[in-house]
Amino acid sequence: MEETKQLTLSEIPTGERCMIVKVHGHGGFRHRILELGFVRGEIVSVLKNAPLRDPVEYEIMGTHVSLRHSEAARIDVVSLSKDAHPDLTQDFHGTLEEHVRQEVEQLGKEITVALVGNPNCGKTSFFNYATGMREKVGNYSGVTVDSKVGTFHHRGFTINLVDLPGTYSLTEFSPDELYVRDFLDNHDLDLVLNIVNAGNLERNMLLTTQLIDRNHPMVMALNMYDELEKSGDRLDHQALGQLLGFPVVPVIARTGWGIENVLEAIVQVYEGKAKETKHIHINYGSEMESAIEQLKILLNETEGLRNHYHPRYLALKLIAGDQTVWQQVAHLSNADEIRKAAEQYRKNFEKEYDEDITSVISDLRFGFIRGALSETLVPAQKKEKQQLGYALDKVLTNRWMGFPILFCFLFIMFEVTFVLGAYPQDWLETGIGWLGEWCRSVLPAGIFADLLVDGVLAGAGAVLVFLPQILILFLFISILEDTGYMARAAFIMDKLMHRMGLHGKSFIPYIIGFGCSVPAVLAARTLENPRDRILTILTVPFISCSARLPVYMLLVAAFFPHHQALILLSIYLIGLVFAILTSLLLSKVHFKQQANPFVMELPPYRVPTLRNAAIHTWDKTSEWLKRVSTVVLLASVIIWALGYFPRLTSNSDSGMKKEQLEQSYLGKIGHAIEPAFRPLGMEWRAGVSLIAGASAKEVIASSMAVLYGVEDTDDNQEQSMAVKLQSVRDADGRQVYSPIAAYAMMLFILLYFPCISTLATIRQEIGKGWMWFSAIYNTMLAWLVSFAFYQIASLF
């Protein structure tokens, strides 16, 4: 059966009938439309258009009603035309109207909910628990950098939950704030679910007041309610709901307690059965209210605008000088009159209060919040004892202890990744080696067997054996995020990074960059200043992502038998150094304005739950596995094919194999680019592997495995690869690779151009010009640093 096509009333042709699914909009418009009978299941006939084709005359419940196209576009319907239902067969014994009524009933039980809240309020934890989606959860600002959609079911209703980025307000000072505002403005939502940290109501409810001004149907989920109760505070959440005009439901998202009650409240509000639901106006004082009313009169002269935006919200934003809102009203015929009035009101208030208008409105909002809480919240009598959630800061962010502890954590992370991950890595190598032997034994010799063993298994297998280390690395990053230590890392690093031209918050994308550069680039959206955001995005690729880890570990294992964790840590620290130096250079040359002050929330420390840590770890690991099974696999096969053709001989002798590779397409490409890599201590096969790494950095390891002839029948691929690299000789019989050459290669891999996915994300975030700058600058820097290290180190 085909899916029913849902239309808007404005799309129904003259002379046809349709059935109403739901009415969007808000306030007086929606109330008036519902009173006229435009409710779910009612039939509407389109009678005729006015001479100028707007408005349109409709018939509903025996009454003739005229609506403009802009108003009719806010009403979802299903056509009663037979042509609109090709799935209706002769086997259906009811009438067309009965058939459509069943469809409308089903469509009417689909609810779209926007999930809105401050960073650190547990919004994404709620999303994960309610929907079962495996979305990343982090106890710091900016984990959700784009909207995620999850679907769940409750009492026959399908609820589409849209998880929006965490934001402290709906102003226009950061991309995330504008993203959330744009989503709320331009999507037909049924209601907003406002997640609020119950332990910090006054601060969190500033966003709530802004949502109230927008006049969305709402439900509030008071998350972390157990923390509020443990503090000794007592809240009458039902009374708070009566004051605010929507249900307020206690919840503990990390355990799932109270989530069913939230879902029930969503359904109750959607059906109009919630007893708390009423629209309230936050009182901003007689003078501000008078100004709002005068601007509303001017704004209401345009019907379409009134139907799409709440006039009170627009008026308040215009008084506050919001340029984004001004762009939405600039096309009105009386736009100049509206602008002059708004500017005059703003000047009057700033003169009267002797403060800027943003501070004035914020103070009035907080006044409303304090009034509501004074009637519903009973604070604990004694709060002498420092919260345990912040007690650890005495040590972890101590002036003298903060840096050593931070670097100790990073060293432990790499040491455990290297040492503990080696055991399951050996098991994987043995298993993949056995699989290669088995394939050789059952398949006839020929191109297919060579492709499977030397191309697919040798290439992808060379990367896949590092799965245990990848899992451990992502687990550590997850724990740092979930405990709240990530924000402390930014706090510790701010002064140093500020002196180097970066913002303390930039350290958070850097830590995320240990996992993958793409989400790290996206996480830079939390930086309000465009200068800080661009600098962070351009320097994030210098942080070694997990994709580079397989080739690092390959070279470290082959050439550095001692102090492996320190060698690996040194590469990561060098990346951080070049990120800072690049930022300093760009700050002096291109970005000369000052960075923003450091303002960042330090959330309480929390014990990470096993469920969230597992979800986060598996999320990122599964993305890595997808790359191995797609990009890496494809690149491995291409590299193998270029080295396999044209065929010169079928002889399996190793000397003949070397000649085959030399004369292949790949050999010709490699020898053409070899002069660029020889001064860095690398021969042509390494150069080809580095070029192939453009698709994904994991491809470097798989390409080297294919090019150096590591067969998947080897029990220990890593050891076999090490032997192959150590045995490579040049034309004079001298050993090509040494610890110096291996380290130079790691430096090049660390610094050269980002993978295609990262470059595409950079283009999306800050433009094509900066994307090309990143690719060219990084590659030039990589060549120069690697050249200087190899040539100087070789002298000694």
Side-chain angles (χ1 to χ4, degrees):
M1 180 180 290
E2 297 183 12
E3 187 177 348
T4 301
K5 186 177 181 182
Q6 189 169 300
L7 305 169
T8 65
L9 182 56
S10 63
E11 296 175 295
I12 303 298
T14 302
E16 290 193 7
R17 301 190 309 151
C18 58
M19 190 174 292
I20 295 174
V21 178
K22 68 173 67 171
V23 177
H24 298 285
H26 50 73
F29 162 74
R30 190 168 188 273
H31 184 71
R32 185 176 73 254
I33 287 290
L34 293 175
E35 283 184 336
L36 290 171
F38 287 82
V39 294
R40 188 197 311 161
E42 287 299 328
I43 296 174
V44 182
S45 299
V46 184
L47 300 180
K48 62 177 181 289
N49 289 271
L52 296 179
R53 305 200 58 78
D54 203 9
V56 181
E57 184 179 344
Y58 299 96
E59 182 181 359
I60 183 169
M61 298 177 69
T63 304
H64 289 216
V65 177
S66 65
L67 298 176
R68 290 192 175 98
H69 279 292
S70 59
E71 295 171 325
R74 308 293 286 167
I75 303 172
D76 291 341
V77 299
V78 173
S79 174
L80 283 169
S81 166
K82 286 185 179 180
D83 294 337
H85 302 275
D87 58 317
L88 188 61
T89 65
Q90 294 181 351
D91 296 334
F92 185 79
H93 300 295
T95 65
L96 175 62
E97 185 177 315
E98 290 172 338
H99 172 74
V100 173
R101 193 171 297 280
Q102 291 176 10
E103 295 177 334
V104 165
E105 185 63 28
Q106 190 60 38
L107 290 170
K109 290 199 170 185
E110 187 166 333
I111 311 173
T112 302
V113 180
L115 195 58
V116 181
N118 287 184
N120 305 311
C121 69
K123 177 175 57 65
T124 305
S125 294
F126 181 96
F127 178 90
N128 284 338
Y129 208 102
T131 66
M133 292 280 287
R134 292 171 174 172
E135 187 187 349
K136 179 178 174 182
V137 180
N139 189 21
Y140 67 94
S141 301
V143 175
T144 307
V145 292
D146 208 343
S147 61
K148 303 287 192 302
V149 182
T151 300
F152 57 91
H153 304 279
H154 178 77
R155 239 181 359 100
F157 287 84
T158 299
I159 303 177
N160 298 313
L161 193 60
V162 185
D163 183 21
L164 297 174
T167 178
Y168 291 108
S169 70
L170 297 178
T171 57
E172 55 180 358
F173 298 122
S174 79
D176 280 354
E177 292 174 351
L178 284 173
Y179 182 93
V180 174
R181 267 175 55 171
D182 179 71
F183 189 91
L184 296 177
D185 286 342
N186 299 311
H187 290 75
D188 284 328
L189 303 168
D190 294 305
L191 57 87
V192 170
L193 176 58
N194 181 206
I195 307 288
V196 171
N197 181 349
N200 199 349
L201 284 172
E202 186 172 331
R203 206 284 313 282
N204 273 231
M205 284 179 63
L206 178 65
L207 177 60
T208 305
T209 61
Q210 294 174 335
L211 292 170
I212 289 172
D213 285 334
R214 293 178 60 90
N215 196 22
H216 294 288
M218 279 177 64
V219 173
M220 178 189 285
L222 281 177
N223 193 24
M224 306 176 198
Y225 200 74
D226 53 335
E227 294 184 9
L228 180 141
E229 292 182 324
K230 286 177 185 176
S231 72
D233 293 349
R234 292 292 176 265
L235 177 70
D236 187 342
H237 62 87
Q238 292 179 334
L240 182 61
Q242 293 289 341
L243 286 172
L244 297 178
F246 45 78
V248 175
V249 186
V251 108
I252 306 173
R254 59 187 172 81
T255 65
W257 181 85
I259 286 180
E260 282 294 317
N261 296 335
V262 174
L263 304 185
E264 181 61 28
I266 288 172
V267 171
Q268 291 287 321
V269 170
Y270 177 72
E271 292 188 308
K273 297 178 181 178
K275 60 183 179 181
E276 300 94 343
T277 300
K278 63 178 182 292
H279 178 60
I280 67 165
H281 284 173
I282 296 171
N283 193 310
Y284 291 102
S286 58
E287 294 181 2
M288 182 73 77
E289 290 296 329
S290 174
I292 290 172
E293 289 302 317
Q294 293 301 315
L295 275 179
K296 278 175 62 178
I297 293 172
L298 297 175
L299 291 166
N300 283 338
E301 292 181 10
T302 304
E303 190 79 14
L305 187 70
R306 189 171 75 237
N307 295 338
H308 196 70
Y309 301 100
H310 194 275
R312 180 179 175 84
Y313 163 77
L314 291 178
L316 192 60
K317 282 293 184 182
L318 288 169
I319 293 172
D322 191 299
Q323 293 304 306
T324 304
V325 168
W326 166 247
Q327 292 171 9
Q328 293 167 343
V329 302
H331 67 281
L332 301 182
S333 58
N334 60 343
D336 288 341
E337 187 181 0
I338 292 172
R339 177 188 278 276
K340 289 177 183 177
E343 288 179 348
Q344 187 60 51
Y345 290 135
R346 181 164 62 254
K347 289 177 182 176
N348 292 344
F349 290 126
E350 289 181 339
K351 183 177 180 181
E352 180 180 347
Y353 287 92
D354 196 24
E355 282 187 294
D356 66 274
I357 192 64
T358 303
S359 299
V360 172
I361 294 175
S362 293
D363 288 345
L364 294 170
R365 290 185 191 279
F366 278 118
F368 168 81
I369 294 168
R370 293 185 193 104
L373 293 179
S374 68
E375 296 187 34
T376 57
L377 179 68
V378 179
Q381 293 298 313
K382 294 182 179 180
K383 287 196 174 181
E384 299 173 0
K385 198 173 181 180
Q386 184 187 24
Q387 288 185 11
L388 181 61
Y390 290 99
L392 291 173
D393 278 339
K394 286 186 175 180
V395 177
L396 296 182
T397 60
N398 181 272
R399 179 180 179 184
W400 306 109
M401 299 290 291
F403 275 106
I405 290 173
L406 173 61
F407 288 109
C408 183
F409 280 157
L410 294 177
F411 175 78
I412 291 171
M413 179 171 73
F414 295 124
E415 181 72 14
V416 173
T417 297
F418 206 106
V419 176
L420 187 62
Y423 297 101
Q425 180 185 357
D426 290 340
W427 305 335
L428 271 175
E429 287 175 340
T430 301
I432 294 174
W434 174 86
L435 181 60
E437 289 178 351
W438 181 82
C439 290
R440 283 284 190 205
S441 66
V442 299
L443 293 174
I447 186 171
F448 180 72
D450 292 341
L451 168 63
L452 184 61
V453 177
D454 299 332
V456 174
L457 289 176
V463 178
L464 193 60
V465 295
F466 294 100
L467 175 62
Q469 283 92 342
I470 300 296
L471 274 167
I472 293 170
L473 180 64
F474 283 139
L475 178 62
F476 268 97
I477 293 175
S478 172
I479 291 170
L480 288 176
E481 292 171 347
D482 293 350
T483 57
Y485 186 72
M486 194 76 86
R488 271 68 183 185
F491 173 78
I492 292 167
M493 294 295 296
D494 177 66
K495 188 170 184 179
L496 174 62
M497 299 190 79
H498 180 67
R499 287 184 175 179
M500 299 300 179
L502 284 166
H503 194 283
K505 278 187 182 179
S506 301
F507 198 65
I508 289 174
Y510 283 6
I511 295 291
I512 297 174
F514 286 143
C516 179
S517 296
V518 172
V521 169
L522 292 172
R525 289 181 181 179
T526 58
L527 292 155
E528 292 85 359
N529 189 318
R531 168 198 180 277
D532 296 328
R533 192 159 57 251
I534 292 172
L535 286 176
T536 301
I537 288 173
L538 292 177
T539 53
V540 154
F542 292 121
I543 305 303
S544 287
C545 63
S546 61
R548 295 177 174 104
L549 187 59
V551 69
Y552 286 163
M553 298 188 72
L554 186 66
L555 294 170
V556 168
F559 295 99
F560 302 96
H562 306 295
H563 311 297
Q564 294 179 335
L566 284 175
I567 294 294
L568 191 61
L569 180 59
S570 71
I571 288 292
Y572 279 78
L573 292 178
I574 289 171
L576 181 59
V577 167
F578 276 100
I580 292 173
L581 291 176
T582 297
S583 175
L584 184 61
L585 175 65
L586 289 174
S587 297
K588 299 296 184 185
V589 174
H590 190 273
F591 299 101
K592 296 185 179 180
Q593 70 267 39
Q594 290 294 314
N596 270 5
F598 181 77
V599 180
M600 183 174 182
E601 181 183 6
L602 295 178
Y605 290 99
R606 296 191 177 98
V607 178
T609 65
L610 180 62
R611 184 177 186 274
N612 281 346
I615 285 174
H616 180 185
T617 302
W618 176 246
D619 255 359
K620 293 304 166 189
T621 305
S622 62
E623 289 178 14
W624 182 81
L625 286 172
K626 286 175 186 175
R627 284 209 302 274
V628 172
S629 63
T630 53
V631 176
V632 176
L633 183 60
L634 178 62
S636 299
V637 171
I638 292 172
I639 293 293
W640 171 85
L642 289 173
Y644 195 80
F645 297 104
R647 296 300 291 160
L648 301 181
T649 178
S650 59
N651 197 316
S652 61
D653 179 76
S654 60
M656 301 303 292
K657 282 186 176 181
K658 182 178 180 182
E659 184 182 345
Q660 163 67 42
L661 194 57
E662 293 274 355
Q663 298 301 318
S664 69
Y665 298 125
L666 193 63
K668 293 173 182 177
I669 295 170
H671 286 298
I673 64 173
E674 188 174 28
F677 290 97
R678 268 297 181 188
L680 314 183
M682 291 178 267
E683 48 105 55
W684 68 271
R685 283 171 287 191
V688 170
S689 300
L690 292 170
I691 299 297
S695 56
K697 293 299 184 282
E698 300 99 329
V699 172
I700 300 172
S702 65
S703 299
M704 289 176 70
V706 174
L707 290 170
Y708 286 103
V710 179
E711 295 191 4
D712 219 68
T713 54
D714 296 323
D715 288 337
N716 192 321
Q717 275 199 315
E718 184 180 311
Q719 184 177 350
S720 176
M721 188 68 188
V723 172
K724 293 281 186 180
L725 290 173
Q726 291 165 359
S727 64
V728 175
R729 296 287 189 270
D730 61 16
D732 298 325
R734 291 175 299 190
Q735 183 177 351
V736 172
Y737 292 111
S738 64
I740 292 174
Y743 203 84
M745 186 174 181
M746 285 194 287
L747 287 174
F748 191 88
I749 294 167
L750 166 70
L751 299 173
Y752 86 126
F753 58 81
C755 67
I756 291 173
S757 297
T758 302
L759 287 173
T761 308
I762 292 174
R763 176 178 178 173
Q764 168 193 315
E765 294 297 301
I766 55 177
K768 189 196 307 184
W770 287 119
M771 177 196 73
W772 285 113
F773 172 84
S774 179
I776 296 169
Y777 169 80
N778 289 25
T779 305
M780 290 175 59
L781 181 66
W783 195 92
L784 290 171
V785 170
S786 188
F787 172 81
F789 173 82
Y790 180 75
Q791 296 297 330
I792 294 172
S794 295
L795 296 175
F796 299 98

